[in-house]
Amino acid sequence: MADQIPLYPVRSAAAAAASQRRAAYYSAAGPGPGADRRGRYQLEDESAHLDEMPLMMSEEGFENDESDYHTLPRARLTRRKRGLEWFVCGGWKFLCTSCCDWLINVCQRKKELKARTVWLGCPEKCEEKHPRNSIKNQKYNVFTFIPGVLYEQFKFFLNLYFLVVSCSQFVPALKIGYLYTYWAPLGFVLAVTIAREAIDEFRRFQRDKEMNSQLYSKLTVRGKVQVKSSDIQVGDLIIVEKNQRIPSDMVFLRTSEKAGSCFIRTDQLDGETDWKLKVAVSCTQRLPALGDLFSISAYVYAQKPQLDIHSFEGTFTREDSDPPIHESLSIENTLWASTIVASGTVIGVVIYTGKETRSVMNTSNPKNKVGLLDLELNQLTKALFLALVVLSVVMVTLQGFAGPWYRNLFRFLLLFSYIIPISLRVNLDMGKAAYGWMIMKDENIPGTVVRTSTIPEELGRLVYLLTDKTGTLTQNEMVFKRLHLGTVSYGTDTMDEIQSHVFNSYLQVHSQASGHNPSSAPLRRSQSSTPKVKKSVSSRIHEAVKAIALCHNVTPVYEARTGVTGETEFAEADQDFSDENRTYQASSPDEVALVRWTESVGLTLVSRDLASMQLKTPSGQVLTYCILQMFPFTSESKRMGIIVRDESTAEITFYMKGADVAMSTIVQYNDWLEEECGNMAREGLRTLVVAKRTLTEEQYQDFESRYSQAKLSIHDRTLKVAAVVESLEREMELLCLTGVEDQLQADVRPTLEMLRNAGIKIWMLTGDKLETATCIAKSSHLVSRTQDIHIFRPVTSRGEAHLELNAFRRKHDCALVISGDSLEVCLRYYEHELVELACQCPAVVCCRCSPTQKAHIVTLLRQHTRKRTCAIGDGGNDVSMIQAADCGIGIEGKEGKQASLAADFSITQFRHIGRLLMVHGRNSYKRSAALGQFVMHRGLIISTMQAVFSSVFYFASVPLYQGFLMVGYATIYTMFPVFSLVLDQDVKPEMAILYPELYKDLTKGRSLSFKTFLIWVLISIYQGGILMYGALVLFEAEFVHVVAISFTALILTELLMVALTIRTWHWLMVVAEFLSLGCYVASLAFLNEYFGIGRVSFGAFLDVAFITTVTFLWKVSAITVVSCLPLYVLKYLKRKLSPPSYSKLSS
């Protein structure tokens, strides 16, 4: 149904009807509030009525009459009147943010970007100051480092709270215990954080310095000078050698290549690994020598710096010639920074530097990433703070607000401040460091590096994975897999048959040509190419291979041999045909794969220039073909063609190859093409249909005259040229169908399968072509075989986007493929609807995406879904996306290290992501959740005891335990067992990978929620109450021993609780438990003065004799059993009655 909706007629008819009604409505409205707005509505775009039009849910919507539409503008007017309501409902927020933005803009007013005139070799002639050409990835500088790091720390409620509490200890009236009990932990946390940030920052500084100090040759009047990359200025003439990075955006003036053009690699800029052909400005290329660049007076006019890497407008003007020479400059005359010269040496004039280069404008500033777990814990600490305030107020109220009550209130706040434990940050930060160490030491994922140590738990909460295609899912190595001739198909295992056929056919031709009758060869050849005679398989293979070897835009390149100077001429002479040092260059890797394949079966492309190309046959004979016309591949035509003349037979042939959709109407009728194309596509092969047509001399001359006429026309040139070429594209003889495979990275299919089973939705964002992207999506099983694929039609206006979104809405459970341009249009008008629809898809593929678009999609997903996103890529074009995601993973690939350096985690192969998420992500999240809650429980239990103690002692604000005991409690006595929770695991790694469905539970965030937190609070209150009341009830007689008894029971309870929380024992856990117990027993003997009540001056010392009595031991044991046994019983019952999902697997 959706396919049958004509896009334009419906829209224009609807628009016409709507505008008529609108006009009628406004004329009827009279001079009311609508009348003065009439002009605006009439001028609006014809598709403006779509503003009010809902995206329809049903098919009937399109047939519905628009009768109710004329009421909408009136509704719009009434809706705008309620100003106060708008202000209360969030308008104030909007106003505040607008004011803040305005202030920030005023403070950091950015320099306006302008177009510029750049004189060749004269940087001093620049009217304006341009930015330095330096790369800067650092977050801070010398002055902002300490304030920046401190701000990042104290913007968390938890840390700010500790700072206030610690500072309060300088006030004598509020002092409780010793200063070190508050400042030591806080100082430790800050020192660790600052050190970690400083190391990260220094590494960034070193990487930048390395890039900025690369040396380049600069051309001056006095000759060549070496300059650092960071010292290059606008107007400099820079020489860039082969395989060197281009340091800034330049206009291409000269090259050492004879053709006046060179190839560059742009993979760090747009992710495409095919080489781009760049053309030098012809005026400067024609100059006899390099130094002549200074003898002419010329300038380049360049547009203002922009984001778009695929376009450029400028002019080159030479003033000192008569008349002045003007040349227009386009994208093919530019060399953008961060690309690499692939052939020859180039000279360019610098037009943009530093922040104004295309590559820097397309990367976003790195932001500090904060994990979801940290944010959740921050919320819980706020809840604890509230409890703390309530508890203190209750205590003061029970005192009856006697005396200076506000001072007592503050003292209570400090007494109970252990409710919010400072050790929480210490433990979590150390835990994160431990997880990072475990990830890097994992032998199953060698080479993995953790670059951002603050967010390992994010790996366990991911819902969306956004991946690049080229180099991430694929190796970007094309391999020829299949040749289909209609009746017979050849695969990789039968290529030797093709080789023998080719060898034999050329042997026959060769023997005939060298025989007595030289004229018989052309005669036989012309007979064989007439379609009437049924051809033998051998001749059909011969024709197909020859067509593939001729129809392309590949150029063979030879590395110049180094040797003794005298031998260079010989090297030149025989270098043409030496196979070792020949490499192929083309704008697409598919083309190279085809030419490499013809070489492997015996027909080798040995040389090519603009007018001819030479093939070498298996017997060593060289065939020369004259190139008469070339019709390059475009995304509209989806095909390329070439007309060649065989020098030996003077036969003219028109060869063409292209996508099946374009070629099926051009070739002669057949019954196999469509079916075979479908079969190959399902295997994930990229298909090309190859066809030919033999032309007589008259036919060609007629075509050429019409073609050159069309090329000269001023109006509708492209249409006329296309029409002339189409006159040739009729009834062509179908030769073969080829299948080329872009090899996937190792284990991509099982990894994607695993991630999909884990409930992670995978989106592929690529800069590549739509066909290629769809093909890889199928072959990598990103889209499963049973799923339909909805290819979003190209849309340019609001109306088209509207219709296309409605067509898409009717589809169910199908993958979406959309191009960057259409995406841009849809996001402009229907952002919310598009994201909502796309999120329901099992898989989404976005092709032809620019780096900024990729980052924009990630940001949209985060904002609309509020779920955690992960981006994975391997090229410089993925950096923005990696930095925008909650968790960025970079792959060290062929496209360099840029992505892996900017990422939070760096891996060497895509398949490692499975283990990284399923095992390490799961463990990090589960462990941190358990650790965080246990540390809070540890603080709550001691605060409960303090509350009970104070209430028994007539609500006195006296500390129960002395400073050293409090510090010891959080460190030496319980730290090791509690921290050993970072070694705990609920399921074995093998199980987690075998059953990725377990990962789905994590994304719901049930390990750390208000529910689990409240359970821990109740446990703490129960245990604290039991310990304190138990100590008071059992020790009526020796009241001075309350501290020793309750503290001993407390330590034992904590150790038992750690044992209760652990799910899988590790030998280090056992060691930690006994070590802590040993430390405690030793301190009982040696530090006995701390175990009295109140200050030491009270004289309540602990006698060692009392500790060794049986009474002490049984009473402590009794209290501990009462506090812990019920919890063990409850845990046992819970495991029996409602076991968690993972326990079913591990049992």
Side-chain angles (χ1 to χ4, degrees):
M1 171 68 202
D3 300 336
Q4 287 149 19
I5 300 170
L7 276 174
Y8 300 104
V10 171
R11 192 179 127 219
S12 48
S19 56
Q20 275 172 6
R21 290 200 190 97
R22 214 181 272 147
Y25 163 65
Y26 282 117
S27 54
D36 50 322
R37 302 185 55 163
R38 174 183 169 183
R40 176 181 157 232
Y41 270 101
Q42 281 182 330
L43 293 171
E44 262 184 3
D45 168 25
E46 60 169 357
S47 59
H49 68 285
L50 292 160
D51 267 355
E52 312 296 349
M53 187 167 165
L55 277 168
M56 290 161 196
M57 303 303 262
S58 66
E59 306 244 346
E60 297 79 56
F62 274 103
E63 284 78 47
N64 274 354
D65 185 46
E66 292 188 14
S67 55
D68 55 343
Y69 266 53
H70 58 277
T71 59
L72 283 165
R74 187 177 293 159
R76 186 197 259 184
L77 291 174
T78 52
R79 202 168 59 233
R80 285 189 184 154
K81 282 178 189 169
R82 301 176 185 160
L84 185 67
E85 188 186 338
W86 170 81
F87 184 79
V88 175
C89 294
W92 61 274
K93 214 174 191 175
F94 173 73
L95 284 175
C96 291
T97 48
S98 306
C99 292
C100 293
D101 289 346
W102 179 79
L103 272 172
I104 289 167
N105 283 338
V106 169
C107 298
Q108 316 177 321
R109 180 156 289 163
K110 281 194 176 171
K111 201 183 82 186
E112 196 186 340
L113 300 174
K114 290 180 185 162
R116 58 199 55 187
T117 302
V118 180
W119 290 84
L120 266 59
C122 305
E124 64 280 354
K125 277 194 186 178
C126 288
E127 296 112 37
E128 303 210 355
K129 261 194 90 181
H130 298 296
R132 278 190 74 215
N133 191 44
S134 57
I135 293 171
K136 187 172 184 292
N137 287 315
Q138 290 158 264
K139 288 184 192 171
Y140 311 103
N141 59 33
V142 181
F143 303 107
T144 58
F145 178 70
I146 296 290
V149 175
L150 291 179
Y151 168 73
E152 287 299 330
Q153 285 305 301
F154 291 123
K155 73 177 181 186
F156 280 112
F157 176 76
L158 185 66
N159 296 1
L160 189 65
Y161 166 78
F162 290 127
L163 185 68
V164 173
V165 167
S166 304
C167 290
S168 72
Q169 289 303 290
F170 289 117
V171 182
L174 303 174
K175 192 172 177 198
I176 295 178
Y178 301 103
L179 273 178
Y180 68 80
T181 57
Y182 291 94
W183 279 100
L186 186 65
F188 177 71
V189 175
L190 287 180
V192 169
T193 311
I194 290 173
R196 195 179 59 206
E197 276 294 324
I199 292 167
D200 285 355
E201 194 65 6
F202 182 66
R203 282 184 188 151
R204 283 190 212 106
F205 166 73
Q206 281 185 313
R207 288 203 298 268
D208 291 349
K209 191 176 170 189
E210 190 184 334
M211 292 294 271
N212 290 330
S213 52
Q214 286 179 354
L215 291 175
Y216 289 89
S217 298
K218 171 174 149 183
L219 206 61
T220 63
V221 187
R222 294 182 298 282
K224 292 182 189 177
V225 197
Q226 293 285 310
V227 287
K228 281 186 185 173
S229 167
S230 56
D231 295 337
I232 290 172
Q233 295 171 299
V234 172
D236 281 345
L237 296 177
I238 301 292
I239 302 172
V240 187
E241 304 289 339
K242 184 177 176 179
N243 290 331
Q244 223 182 351
R245 183 182 72 90
I246 293 172
S248 56
D249 289 357
M250 311 200 288
V251 166
F252 184 13
L253 299 178
R254 277 180 77 90
T255 172
S256 57
E257 303 281 293
K258 292 188 193 75
S261 61
C262 80
F263 282 102
I264 63 164
R265 296 203 295 269
T266 60
D267 44 20
Q268 289 294 339
L269 192 63
D270 58 13
E272 295 184 19
T273 49
D274 43 338
W275 296 5
K276 307 283 187 297
L277 189 70
K278 296 289 178 178
V279 183
V281 176
S282 57
C283 173
T284 46
Q285 180 66 27
R286 284 198 304 267
L287 294 172
L290 253 186
D292 296 340
L293 283 171
F294 286 100
S295 62
I296 63 169
S297 166
Y299 62 85
V300 169
Y301 172 79
Q303 66 182 145
K304 68 175 188 190
Q306 284 180 333
L307 275 173
D308 188 4
I309 53 178
H310 299 298
S311 72
F312 174 73
E313 287 170 15
T315 52
F316 174 87
T317 309
R318 180 175 173 182
E319 284 189 327
D320 57 355
S321 63
D322 194 34
I325 300 173
H326 296 285
E327 271 189 56
S328 75
L329 301 176
S330 69
I331 185 70
E332 61 178 17
N333 306 112
T334 59
L335 303 167
W336 294 146
S338 296
T339 57
I340 289 168
V341 178
S343 65
T345 303
V346 303
I347 293 131
V349 60
V350 176
I351 51 171
Y352 308 125
T353 50
K355 287 184 289 210
E356 295 177 343
T357 58
R358 293 289 203 267
S359 62
V360 175
M361 289 179 86
N362 271 291
T363 48
S364 49
N365 290 327
K367 61 180 193 326
N368 282 320
K369 296 186 181 180
V370 179
L372 187 60
L373 186 97
D374 293 329
L375 296 173
E376 287 169 345
L377 283 170
N378 205 35
Q379 297 294 8
L380 294 182
T381 45
K382 285 177 189 170
L384 284 174
F385 179 69
L386 206 67
L388 167 70
V389 174
V390 170
L391 183 61
S392 306
V393 171
V394 167
M395 283 292 181
V396 174
T397 312
L398 291 173
Q399 264 186 347
F401 291 105
W405 61 270
Y406 50 86
R407 199 182 78 187
N408 288 343
L409 177 68
F410 211 95
R411 280 180 69 88
F412 274 123
L413 282 173
L414 291 171
L415 268 184
F416 299 138
S417 68
Y418 279 92
I419 285 186
I420 307 175
I422 188 155
S423 49
L424 183 61
R425 289 296 319 193
V426 184
N427 276 301
L428 285 177
D429 284 354
M430 283 163 53
K432 289 172 199 281
Y435 309 142
W437 186 82
M438 287 173 199
I439 291 172
M440 294 205 263
K441 285 280 172 274
D442 189 342
E443 288 168 6
N444 295 297
I445 46 173
T448 304
V449 181
V450 178
R451 295 191 196 279
T452 308
S453 52
T454 51
I455 54 168
E457 300 92 0
E458 291 294 271
L459 294 171
R461 313 284 295 275
L462 302 175
V463 180
Y464 290 97
L465 177 74
L466 299 103
T467 167
D468 176 39
K469 177 189 75 71
T470 315
T472 305
L473 297 178
T474 67
Q475 297 178 18
N476 206 42
E477 283 179 7
M478 305 294 167
V479 180
F480 189 93
K481 285 284 186 186
R482 186 73 51 86
L483 180 74
H484 205 295
L485 301 171
T487 52
V488 56
S489 167
Y490 293 95
T492 38
D493 45 352
T494 48
M495 290 297 174
D496 48 347
E497 286 184 37
I498 298 182
Q499 205 170 348
S500 61
H501 280 303
V502 171
F503 188 77
N504 293 335
S505 59
Y506 274 110
L507 209 61
Q508 287 170 354
V509 173
H510 188 58
S511 59
Q512 284 165 355
S514 58
H516 298 294
N517 186 357
S519 62
S520 68
L523 197 78
R524 293 283 289 270
R525 305 278 302 120
S526 59
Q527 277 178 355
S528 71
S529 59
T530 52
K532 279 98 181 168
V533 186
K534 185 127 176 77
K535 294 181 177 175
S536 68
V537 171
S538 185
S539 67
R540 277 165 57 206
I541 287 176
H542 175 206
E543 282 297 322
V545 173
K546 188 167 80 172
I548 297 170
L550 288 171
C551 184
H552 53 71
N553 62 5
V554 180
T555 313
V557 178
Y558 296 92
E559 297 292 326
R561 289 195 194 161
T562 51
V564 190
T565 18
E567 292 176 25
T568 48
E569 302 100 68
F570 302 110
E572 284 291 320
D574 63 38
Q575 107 174 344
D576 280 5
F577 312 125
S578 61
D579 292 348
E580 309 77 66
N581 62 348
R582 180 191 310 114
T583 52
Y584 293 114
Q585 285 182 357
S587 61
S588 152
D590 306 39
E591 299 261 81
V592 178
L594 293 172
V595 174
R596 285 227 175 93
W597 174 76
T598 62
E599 181 182 356
S600 72
V601 295
L603 198 56
T604 311
L605 174 71
V606 287
S607 80
R608 171 180 188 144
D609 53 35
L610 295 174
S612 69
M613 65 174 111
Q614 293 182 319
L615 302 179
K616 188 170 72 167
T617 65
S619 55
Q621 185 192 7
V622 176
L623 308 172
T624 307
Y625 292 87
C626 189
I627 301 173
L628 302 175
Q629 298 288 350
M630 271 288 291
F631 312 111
F633 181 92
T634 63
S635 50
E636 287 77 42
S637 69
K638 294 188 171 55
R639 55 186 182 267
M640 70 152 294
I642 187 169
I643 303 180
V644 293
R645 180 190 279 123
D646 187 339
E647 294 278 306
S648 58
T649 61
E651 186 180 78
I652 298 174
T653 318
F654 172 38
Y655 289 107
M656 184 158 240
K657 70 166 185 236
D660 51 319
V661 273
M663 297 291 287
S664 53
T665 53
I666 293 171
V667 296
Q668 294 167 351
Y669 173 75
N670 59 6
D671 52 5
W672 59 273
L673 183 63
E674 196 178 335
E675 185 188 344
E676 285 305 325
C677 281
N679 291 342
M680 283 197 193
R682 275 189 288 281
E683 288 178 41
L685 300 178
R686 299 157 91 153
T687 54
L688 282 174
V689 180
V690 185
K692 77 162 195 175
R693 180 178 171 186
T694 311
L695 303 174
T696 60
E697 190 67 41
E698 297 78 51
Q699 282 174 322
Y700 176 68
Q701 292 303 337
D702 169 50
F703 163 77
E704 194 183 29
S705 64
R706 285 184 297 131
Y707 186 63
S708 47
Q709 213 172 343
K711 282 213 292 198
L712 291 172
S713 62
I714 297 167
H715 302 296
D716 302 328
R717 181 185 299 177
T718 38
L719 286 172
K720 287 178 182 169
V721 169
V724 174
V725 177
E726 269 172 32
S727 67
L728 276 188
E729 298 170 352
R730 293 202 187 123
E731 287 295 301
M732 295 186 73
E733 180 191 343
L734 174 58
L735 295 176
C736 64
L737 177 64
T738 64
V740 172
E741 181 185 47
D742 185 355
Q743 288 191 309
L744 294 171
Q745 295 267 9
D747 294 339
V748 160
R749 292 190 187 113
T751 305
L752 288 178
E753 188 75 23
M754 180 200 293
L755 295 173
R756 217 175 19 248
N757 290 342
I760 296 173
K761 290 188 174 175
I762 303 161
W763 289 33
M764 184 165 93
L765 312 180
T766 171
D768 223 326
K769 296 192 264 310
L770 189 130
E771 294 81 11
T772 321
T774 316
C775 198
I776 293 297
K778 284 178 184 165
S779 65
S780 64
H781 295 188
L782 176 72
V783 177
S784 60
R785 296 191 171 198
T786 51
Q787 271 166 5
D788 288 340
I789 291 185
H790 176 82
I791 295 184
F792 206 87
R793 292 207 193 123
V795 295
T796 50
S797 68
R798 177 168 206 158
E800 291 174 19
H802 190 102
L803 291 167
E804 195 52 43
L805 278 168
N806 274 324
F808 174 46
R809 193 186 277 274
R810 297 190 201 98
K811 302 274 184 79
H812 294 291
D813 189 48
C814 72
L816 170 67
V817 179
I818 185 167
S819 71
D821 303 339
S822 308
L823 185 75
E824 197 75 5
V825 174
C826 292
L827 289 179
R828 193 178 309 141
Y829 301 117
Y830 299 115
E831 181 180 292
H832 185 73
E833 290 83 352
L834 179 72
V835 177
E836 195 182 336
L837 286 172
C839 288
Q840 291 164 8
C841 294
V844 177
V845 176
C846 301
C847 49
R848 284 267 168 240
C849 279
S850 67
T852 29
Q853 260 178 334
K854 288 184 179 184
H856 185 49
I857 294 168
V858 175
T859 317
L860 272 180
L861 264 183
R862 287 180 59 198
Q863 287 168 353
H864 278 270
T865 61
R866 301 260 174 240
K867 299 276 196 297
R868 301 323 260 176
T869 57
C870 170
I872 176 167
D874 71 319
N877 61 319
D878 303 316
V879 170
S880 298
M881 161 173 91
I882 285 171
Q883 288 176 342
D886 294 301
C887 167
I889 299 178
I891 295 182
E892 286 192 18
K894 292 185 176 168
E895 297 189 17
K897 283 191 172 184
Q898 210 168 338
S900 79
L901 290 175
D904 306 311
F905 301 91
S906 153
I907 56 180
T908 51
Q909 289 182 1
F910 183 79
R911 62 183 174 153
H912 291 168
I913 197 174
R915 188 176 174 88
L916 191 65
L917 301 190
M918 300 303 127
V919 177
H920 293 289
R922 176 190 188 81
N923 287 344
S924 301
Y925 171 55
K926 285 265 189 181
R927 289 163 176 174
S928 280
L931 184 65
Q933 291 180 118
F934 201 92
V935 172
M936 284 181 179
H937 152 77
R938 192 170 69 180
L940 273 166
I941 193 170
I942 205 161
S943 298
T944 310
M945 290 171 76
Q946 175 72 51
V948 173
F949 176 76
S950 289
S951 53
V952 169
F953 278 87
Y954 313 106
F955 312 109
S957 53
V958 177
L960 167 61
Y961 299 128
Q962 285 308 306
F964 179 79
L965 284 190
M966 293 304 280
V967 174
Y969 170 66
T971 53
I972 195 163
Y973 300 147
T974 60
M975 190 177 92
F976 297 117
V978 171
F979 189 67
S980 70
L981 286 173
V982 302
L983 299 168
D984 191 18
Q985 54 181 29
D986 51 358
V987 285
K988 290 197 172 75
E990 298 73 38
M991 279 292 170
I993 288 173
L994 192 60
Y995 298 102
E997 289 78 9
L998 289 172
Y999 189 88
K1000 277 184 194 169
D1001 287 349
L1002 303 182
T1003 53
K1004 295 169 187 161
R1006 287 179 182 159
S1007 300
L1008 177 73
S1009 60
F1010 269 104
K1011 180 185 163 189
T1012 58
F1013 172 64
L1014 282 172
I1015 291 170
W1016 275 107
V1017 170
L1018 293 174
I1019 290 173
S1020 309
I1021 291 172
Y1022 164 75
Q1023 289 188 329
I1026 291 289
L1027 291 172
M1028 203 61 228
Y1029 276 119
L1032 293 171
V1033 168
L1034 293 177
F1035 291 93
E1036 297 275 306
E1038 313 100 334
F1039 196 68
V1040 287
H1041 299 318
V1042 164
V1043 172
I1045 289 154
S1046 62
F1047 198 77
T1048 308
L1050 172 66
I1051 296 293
L1052 289 175
T1053 301
E1054 282 298 290
L1055 296 181
L1056 287 171
M1057 284 303 291
V1058 171
L1060 179 71
T1061 312
I1062 287 170
R1063 289 164 292 214
T1064 314
W1065 283 88
H1066 187 285
W1067 64 271
L1068 278 171
M1069 294 174 172
V1070 183
V1071 171
E1073 291 266 335
F1074 284 109
L1075 182 70
S1076 296
L1077 196 59
C1079 286
Y1080 180 66
V1081 172
S1083 64
L1084 264 184
F1086 299 115
L1087 299 168
N1088 52 16
E1089 76 263 27
Y1090 287 107
F1091 287 91
I1093 288 186
R1095 304 276 178 205
V1096 179
S1097 56
F1098 284 14
F1101 286 107
L1102 180 76
D1103 47 344
V1104 181
F1106 168 66
I1107 305 175
T1108 49
T1109 57
V1110 180
T1111 0
F1112 174 79
L1113 294 174
W1114 84 255
K1115 289 184 176 182
V1116 167
S1117 309
I1119 298 172
T1120 312
V1121 166
V1122 175
S1123 77
C1124 291
L1125 192 64
L1127 298 171
Y1128 271 86
V1129 174
L1130 283 171
K1131 181 179 177 180
Y1132 177 76
L1133 289 174
K1134 187 170 182 289
R1135 291 281 302 213
K1136 275 281 169 253
L1137 301 174
S1138 72
S1141 52
Y1142 58 82
S1143 65
K1144 299 166 191 169
L1145 298 175
S1146 46
S1147 58

